[in-house]
Amino acid sequence: MDAVRVALLREVLAGTEWPSATRRFAASLRGSVVPHGGGLLLVGTEEYEPWHLAAHLVDEAAWSGTPELTPTLVRHQVHASDPAHLSVGLGRIEAARSGETLLVVAPDTPGEGLLSRVHDARRAGATVLALDTGGDEMPSLAHELLSVPPSRELNLDTVQHLVSAAAGENCLPSAAPSLRSGRRLRDRLSRLADQLTAPPPARW
């Protein structure tokens, strides 16, 4: 999602909690990794790998001149044929220490193995941030949590786009406004979806 579409999405969501909430979360992420020179570990659940968030953070790191945002994608299953940057298994979380940041993306219930490793990483001094859909597992483990309860208005994938875009910015979040009516928000998101799925304009 390019900057123009992110700006359009923020416009659609203006008047809701989401632009400021995602900026606050992104500020926590940036504030955790930049002072320590990086050390960002990104992990999903066994059923979900946050490929797109990893790619967007790599882009934002390059565009913003903030290499500390570049994540290490931690995977539940690693194969011998995988390239080096995709060969980091869950043992990396066990090795996490103070100064490192662990970002957990959990659209479904994390398994006990992952939760145990996240708990150990936090005890070892790592900062734990989490994006989830409102489960009971992460609130007690995360230093900073942004939950996106399932709804027709917004989903976790969209929030990940907003977080990654905001992480590349260097601005303070504004105060969170009140939510608009569900019908008005759904109408605006529907129009946005039509624009996002339209073919991009020719560049030459």
Side-chain angles (χ1 to χ4, degrees):
M1 187 178 290
D2 59 35
V4 173
R5 294 184 177 185
V6 168
L8 181 58
L9 178 57
R10 286 174 175 162
E11 180 181 345
V12 168
L13 294 171
T16 75
E17 64 182 322
W18 295 109
S20 58
T22 51
R23 279 192 167 110
R24 282 196 303 271
F25 187 87
S28 295
L29 173 61
R30 186 181 178 116
S32 180
V33 300
V34 170
H36 294 100
L40 175 58
L41 306 175
L42 175 62
V43 67
T45 63
E46 190 170 358
E47 301 297 326
Y48 177 85
E49 284 192 327
W51 295 93
H52 285 98
L53 180 56
H56 285 303
L57 286 172
V58 168
D59 288 342
E60 291 296 336
W63 294 335
S64 67
T66 313
E68 297 89 352
L69 289 172
T70 302
T72 296
L73 181 62
V74 178
R75 307 181 65 199
H76 286 255
Q77 294 187 8
V78 175
H79 305 287
S81 59
D82 291 333
H85 69 288
L86 297 178
S87 298
V88 180
L90 292 176
R92 181 62 182 85
I93 299 178
E94 297 174 10
R97 294 293 180 266
S98 178
E100 295 185 305
T101 301
L102 176 60
L103 174 54
V104 182
V105 182
D108 52 80
T109 303
E112 288 299 324
L114 175 60
L115 291 174
S116 176
R117 288 178 171 90
V118 172
H119 179 264
D120 290 344
R122 174 170 174 145
R123 287 205 311 172
T127 298
V128 178
L129 308 178
L131 294 167
D132 74 358
T133 52
D136 298 329
E137 297 80 15
M138 297 310 303
S140 63
L141 293 177
H143 294 93
E144 185 79 18
L145 173 68
L146 181 57
S147 291
V148 188
S151 71
R152 291 189 296 174
E153 288 81 25
L154 199 65
N155 59 41
L156 189 59
D157 286 338
T158 302
V159 167
Q160 289 179 67
H161 286 300
L162 293 172
V163 166
S164 60
E169 300 170 347
N170 189 15
C171 61
L172 295 175
S174 57
S178 60
L179 290 170
R180 293 182 176 181
S181 69
R183 176 180 293 276
R184 185 176 181 186
L185 178 57
R186 283 195 298 272
D187 290 344
R188 298 185 76 193
L189 285 175
S190 177
R191 291 196 298 272
L192 175 63
D194 291 339
Q195 295 181 52
L196 293 181
T197 55
R203 295 184 181 274
W204 59 78

